[in-house]
Amino acid sequence: MNKPLLTVGLTLSLLVPLCAQAGAKEDFQKIYSDAKSAQKDAGDFKWTTTSSRLKAAESAAESGDYDKAKTLAAEALKLAQESVDQRKTQAEAWRKAVIGG
Amino acid sequence: MLKAKIILVAMGVALLAPQVLAGATPEEDRKETVEYFKQMFPEVPLKDFVNGQYALNEDRRAQWQSLQDFPPYEFAVAEGKEMFEAPFANGKTYGSCFENGGIGVRQNYPYFDEGTKQVITLELAINQCREANGEKPLKYKKGDIASISAYMATTSEGEAFDIKVPDDPKALAAYEDGKQFYYSRRGQLNFSCASCHVQNPGKWIRADLLSPTLGQPSSFPVHRSKWGELGTLHRRFAGCNKNVRAEPLPAQSEEYRNLEYFLTYMSNGLPVVGPSTRP
């Protein structure tokens, strides 16, 4: 039996999930900060659904579940981007709805 | 070729211009709004619009009128009167901050303050009065401020709203800002205030009957059975924002004050009838 190889193998098998974990954490942090800044960009067109995803992402991250946190942050990012689009569209579109307009 | 381009541009401008100009003044907006709802509900007398959904449905109105015999806000109004009359620590009262001692002034709020260049709502004025007299400001959505505001409304019962947009570009900008807020789609559901209250009043949305824009602020503060207490207009704004999954803005934020300015201007000439009850 090759002891050193076994040790390497064991160490690797322990390290791999840790690495994945570290990657997920960084991925989460990037997406989360993008989502936060998109939400800010939405100004007074923020959606409550974005806010709740952001909160849920934070608490998932706090409990160390970065995969879940990442998924939630990605959802928040998508919603926030849609609300930014809404803000931009409405900057002119509102006029068409005005009575007598 | 160049000529054609110029003609096209000119046409574009010509097509755009009337849209931008339409309803250019607040008074034109108001008249068009009144006309719009008169046509939509020809059987409703103009002054009845202050009753919101109850102006539009006889069964609901009958139910509501029977409730008015023992209004659930009576006690809060009495408390509001007491607080209104009680001296602050410095011996002054709310009356010292308002024209005519604060009696019969509700119909003039909100107004544009030319000194500070901002819209002053009644609730903001109440808190400014407190702070000017060394008292802590009250919370804006319910509780004492709603009771005081309700009492002040009763002293203006039947007085016609008389909101003014003074000849000041900042005042017009505040009004326009409120108008834009009312007509802009918001939230994940992509609804504007107007989607419900201009395009669909008289229609049911689940168990709720939608009220028209006209007369919307006249009954505030209102006692909602859902709340089990009195709440201010900005509490209602926040609720309507949340219903379409839009993040509400803080009560008395500049956005909501401008919104109230526009909305109340639309009800100029209609009587103050607050407080009232709502589902």
Side-chain angles (χ1 to χ4, degrees):
Chain A
M1 194 148 167
N2 191 331
K3 231 179 172 187
L5 208 61
L6 186 68
T7 316
V8 168
L10 263 174
T11 317
L12 263 182
S13 70
L14 279 172
L15 266 177
V16 165
L18 270 179
C19 283
Q21 196 61 354
K25 183 175 180 181
E26 276 146 26
D27 286 355
F28 155 73
Q29 281 169 338
K30 168 85 177 77
I31 299 169
Y32 180 78
S33 104
D34 287 351
K36 277 283 231 197
S37 81
Q39 173 76 329
K40 198 170 170 213
D41 191 20
D44 59 12
F45 283 77
K46 293 182 179 67
W47 295 0
T48 51
T49 35
T50 313
S51 312
S52 58
R53 294 296 192 295
L54 283 171
K55 259 200 199 132
E58 266 170 62
S59 60
E62 266 163 33
S63 67
D65 188 348
Y66 289 107
D67 281 332
K68 188 177 169 197
K70 193 175 106 180
T71 307
L72 287 161
E75 284 174 17
L77 176 60
K78 186 167 166 288
L79 294 170
Q81 283 165 341
E82 284 176 50
S83 69
V84 170
D85 289 344
Q86 182 184 55
R87 174 175 70 67
K88 291 180 178 162
T89 312
Q90 289 304 307
E92 277 309 315
W94 70 273
R95 294 184 192 278
K96 296 198 202 93
V98 170
I99 293 176
Chain B
M1 189 57 203
L2 186 66
K3 231 181 188 169
K5 238 185 191 168
I6 290 170
I7 292 170
L8 275 179
V9 169
M11 272 180 63
V13 170
L15 282 173
L16 274 175
Q19 222 184 36
V20 177
L21 287 178
T25 72
E27 197 48 18
E28 277 162 4
D29 284 347
R30 190 190 66 79
K31 283 186 181 145
E32 273 166 358
T33 301
V34 169
E35 207 43 50
Y36 176 91
F37 288 109
K38 267 187 178 168
Q39 278 177 26
M40 192 178 246
F41 302 107
E43 72 291 355
V44 175
L46 188 58
K47 68 165 177 38
D48 282 13
F49 279 102
V50 296
N51 297 326
Q53 59 180 292
Y54 303 123
L56 312 181
N57 182 296
E58 222 169 294
D59 288 345
R60 286 229 144 184
R61 183 161 62 245
Q63 254 180 341
W64 170 67
Q65 273 162 345
S66 66
L67 210 89
Q68 298 296 309
D69 294 340
F70 300 99
Y73 49 76
E74 222 168 19
F75 190 63
V77 171
E79 275 185 342
K81 181 175 196 282
E82 250 171 58
M83 287 185 276
F84 183 83
E85 289 167 352
F88 300 128
N90 69 2
K92 290 198 186 165
T93 63
Y94 285 106
S96 69
C97 301
F98 292 91
E99 224 171 275
N100 198 39
I103 304 300
V105 298
R106 175 70 188 97
Q107 67 280 8
N108 303 324
Y109 286 81
Y111 72 93
F112 185 80
D113 181 49
E114 300 202 56
T116 59
K117 303 284 180 203
Q118 61 168 339
V119 171
I120 310 285
T121 61
L122 185 61
E123 286 80 15
L124 189 73
I126 289 170
N127 264 348
Q128 284 182 340
C129 179
R130 293 181 61 84
E131 294 188 282
N133 286 290
E135 303 284 329
K136 284 208 182 103
L138 300 169
K139 288 230 167 94
Y140 276 122
K141 286 190 178 166
K142 56 186 179 182
D144 290 355
I145 208 156
S147 303
I148 295 166
S149 172
Y151 164 66
M152 291 179 80
T154 63
T155 71
S156 278
E157 199 187 327
E159 295 294 329
F161 274 101
D162 185 18
I163 307 309
K164 296 188 174 81
V165 179
D167 189 13
D168 176 334
K170 288 262 169 64
L172 194 61
Y175 167 88
E176 283 291 329
D177 195 49
K179 178 176 164 185
Q180 180 170 356
F181 197 106
Y182 201 78
Y183 283 104
S184 294
R185 290 176 176 272
R186 281 192 153 68
Q188 193 178 27
L189 301 188
N190 202 31
F191 275 70
S192 69
C193 312
S195 311
C196 285
H197 298 298
V198 171
Q199 277 138 35
N200 288 298
K203 296 198 185 122
W204 294 85
I205 186 161
R206 291 196 212 113
D208 295 311
L209 183 61
L210 286 168
S211 60
T213 307
L214 210 55
Q216 244 182 352
S218 318
S219 300
F220 278 81
V222 301
H223 182 287
R224 285 189 70 189
S225 20
K226 185 183 163 195
W227 295 335
E229 60 184 354
L230 280 176
T232 58
L233 185 59
H234 291 200
R235 185 177 180 186
R236 181 85 231 199
F237 288 171
C240 279
N241 273 158
K242 281 190 253 177
N243 282 344
V244 297
R245 301 187 192 153
E247 199 62 72
L249 295 160
Q252 301 301 325
S253 57
E254 187 181 10
E255 288 92 337
Y256 276 5
R257 281 182 286 125
N258 291 346
L259 175 61
E260 180 175 346
Y261 191 41
F262 161 75
L263 195 57
T264 315
Y265 191 97
M266 290 303 104
S267 289
N268 264 354
L270 296 177
V272 174
V273 290
S276 190
T277 54
R278 292 290 188 268

